[in-house]
Amino acid sequence: MSVSDLDPVPAVALLARPGAARERLREALAHADVQIVLEDDPITLEPQALHDARPQFVVIALEAAIEDALERLEPALSAPGLTLVFDEAELAARRDGWEAQRWGRHLAAKLHGHQQVLPPGAEDEPALQLEPGRPSTPPVPKEAALQPHLEQARSWADDVPADGLYSPPAQLHEPIALEQVLAALQPVLPETATPADAAPAPPPVPAAPPRVFTDHTAWSLVDEASDAPADPRAAATVATPEPAFDTEHLSLVDLDAAAPAGSRAGALLVLAGIGGPDALRRLLAALPSGLAVPVLVHMRLDGGRYGNLVKQMARVSALPVQLAEAGQRATAGEVHVLADDIGVHVAADGLYFQSEAQGISIAALSAEHSALVLLSGADLAHVGPALDLAAAGAWVAGQVGEGCYDPAAATAVVAAGMVAGEPQELAQVIAARWGLDDDGDAA
């Protein structure tokens, strides 16, 4: 059996329009040690040709001009065992130098199914994770190796200076117990004699004998009709009437009005970046058709083509997908894609979108009723606010697995003890916590 049989070369199809983006992706695939079985323009490609090529991976350069072509190729792209890798065509065309090499390493890791994304010559740091089981016994030093040191220490023992600050008493002989040393150091006190003229202590006063009631001939019952004045406090207590229970002014409490604003402003925020379209597609495709909270998606795209992202995700999501606009209210059970200048604020009746130059702020979310998922390419600047939100009661998770191109932020939250899993696994946990049953009630 040859080495190629043990580690077969992945078969890859490259779908991109002719141009700089296609050339950059071809160069990355050439360095990734894969077999390009098909390279064509998706606009002119027929679904049967893609099926006959039998690729394992399909690398697609996304742009607005090929949206209709992707819908036409949907039956071939949905074949079992086929993995799709999306990249923005405009971003791929501008990628050069260090950024291009970094993208190529992540792409090779995705296609070959490993986690080695460091440059050649670099080594992964060992994982400092505790493992169950009894620790191994340290090796016992050989006595033969210690014998020369023991003999040297014995020869030097007489030359070691003694402690001159302590001189044991002459009457003490070693060894001696600590209790004896303390008893010897205590001064002997003479017995205290009682003075002759000391007055004796007075005898104890005998207790008074108990009173014995022997004459019961004078006993009589209390006359209830006696003219003796009664306790005025008791009379007032008896005369106080019982309070009446007024049922004419009862009313129901408005639970929605009494609930805090944050309980109606929960949301599921999904953060992504490089490699994010594929991870986001798998997450949304696994979510149910009903959720008790809105889903907010923030993924930085060069060129700001968030309308294309909305169309791509609407094809796989059972939830409605739309682009968030300032002044709009976040609706539970819908996916809202956030542009770079859209933030959120909590109002009395829910969560609203607003224009924000810095974009989404994690601290603006209600921690007790919100969730946060960091997918591939999430910004490292979001790790600190995400952990602060988790400390306040939010549910936070990070993507792991071979599909994570840029795992820095997701790995950081997982290392801090947050939930970890593939996008499909995280979607199952989200559905169990915030999904709706057939009657529209929360799970």
Side-chain angles (χ1 to χ4, degrees):
M1 182 178 294
S2 63
V3 178
S4 60
D5 295 333
L6 297 175
D7 188 13
V9 178
V12 180
L14 174 59
L15 303 185
R17 298 180 64 196
R22 184 167 169 178
E23 296 176 1
R24 294 289 187 275
L25 291 176
R26 187 192 308 115
E27 294 174 359
L29 292 174
H31 291 87
D33 192 18
V34 299
Q35 180 185 3
I36 302 179
V37 296
L38 177 65
E39 179 181 344
D40 205 342
D41 187 346
I43 298 178
T44 60
L45 178 65
E46 294 297 330
Q48 186 61 36
L50 178 60
H51 180 269
D52 295 340
R54 299 187 180 279
Q56 298 172 276
F57 298 87
V58 178
V59 179
I60 304 175
L62 288 176
E63 53 182 322
I66 67 170
E67 291 183 1
D68 296 336
L70 292 180
E71 293 182 0
R72 182 172 51 84
L73 297 173
E74 183 68 24
L77 295 176
S78 302
L82 187 62
T83 302
L84 305 182
V85 180
F86 296 95
D87 189 17
E88 287 288 333
E90 184 178 355
L91 178 60
R94 296 200 308 264
R95 193 179 293 125
D96 195 7
W98 177 86
E99 184 65 23
Q101 296 176 6
R102 178 174 176 268
W103 164 257
R105 293 193 299 271
H106 284 277
L107 180 59
K110 170 71 175 180
L111 299 177
H112 288 277
H114 59 73
Q115 299 293 329
Q116 180 59 38
V117 296
L118 297 178
E123 297 180 355
D124 291 331
E125 295 183 358
L128 301 178
Q129 297 182 356
L130 298 180
E131 297 181 356
R134 184 177 180 180
S136 59
T137 305
V140 180
K142 297 181 178 179
E143 187 174 354
L146 295 178
Q147 191 61 31
H149 302 283
L150 295 176
E151 295 178 356
Q152 184 181 28
R154 190 178 298 108
S155 63
W156 289 355
D158 297 335
D159 298 335
V160 176
D163 189 358
L165 299 179
Y166 170 74
S167 298
Q171 66 273 18
L172 296 182
H173 302 280
E174 296 293 346
I176 186 171
L178 177 62
E179 292 79 2
Q180 299 178 6
V181 174
L182 296 178
L185 297 178
Q186 293 293 334
V188 180
L189 298 179
E191 296 184 359
T192 304
T194 303
D197 55 350
V205 179
R211 186 176 181 181
V212 181
F213 296 93
T214 57
D215 185 8
H216 57 273
T217 57
W219 292 2
S220 63
L221 297 176
V222 177
D223 188 2
E224 294 181 355
S226 176
D227 295 336
D231 190 352
R233 293 174 296 177
T237 303
V238 175
T240 302
E242 293 292 334
F245 188 77
D246 186 7
T247 60
E248 297 180 358
H249 299 85
L250 294 179
S251 62
L252 296 176
V253 177
D254 188 359
L255 297 179
D256 291 338
S263 63
R264 296 184 297 276
L268 167 63
L269 176 60
V270 181
L271 302 174
I274 297 178
D278 179 55
L280 180 61
R281 180 181 62 85
R282 289 189 288 160
L283 177 71
L284 296 182
L287 288 178
S289 58
L291 284 180
V293 293
V295 180
L296 313 182
V297 175
H298 177 64
M299 182 173 62
R300 292 192 179 274
L301 296 177
D302 291 346
R305 296 183 177 179
Y306 292 98
N308 297 341
L309 181 63
V310 170
K311 295 179 182 179
Q312 294 293 332
M313 296 305 139
R315 296 192 182 103
V316 299
S317 174
L319 300 171
V321 183
Q322 58 180 316
L323 188 62
E325 298 180 0
Q328 177 187 7
R329 184 174 182 268
T331 305
E334 294 186 4
V335 179
H336 303 271
V337 177
L338 308 180
D340 293 341
D341 58 349
I342 294 295
V344 295
H345 72 278
V346 177
D349 57 343
L351 197 67
Y352 282 82
F353 302 114
Q354 64 181 4
S355 297
E356 195 72 39
Q358 303 299 328
I360 182 67
S361 174
I362 297 177
L365 298 177
S366 172
E368 184 179 358
H369 305 279
S370 297
L372 183 61
V373 176
L374 280 76
L375 297 179
S376 173
D379 195 345
L380 276 173
H382 290 147
V383 174
L387 296 180
D388 293 340
L389 198 71
W395 183 85
V396 179
Q399 177 188 357
V400 296
E402 61 182 13
C404 195
Y405 288 111
D406 187 2
T411 304
V413 297
V414 171
M418 302 297 104
V419 181
E422 293 275 0
Q424 300 92 325
E425 298 172 346
L426 300 180
Q428 294 176 2
V429 180
I430 293 170
R433 291 174 61 96
W434 291 280
L436 300 178
D437 55 18
D438 296 337
D439 298 331
D441 299 328

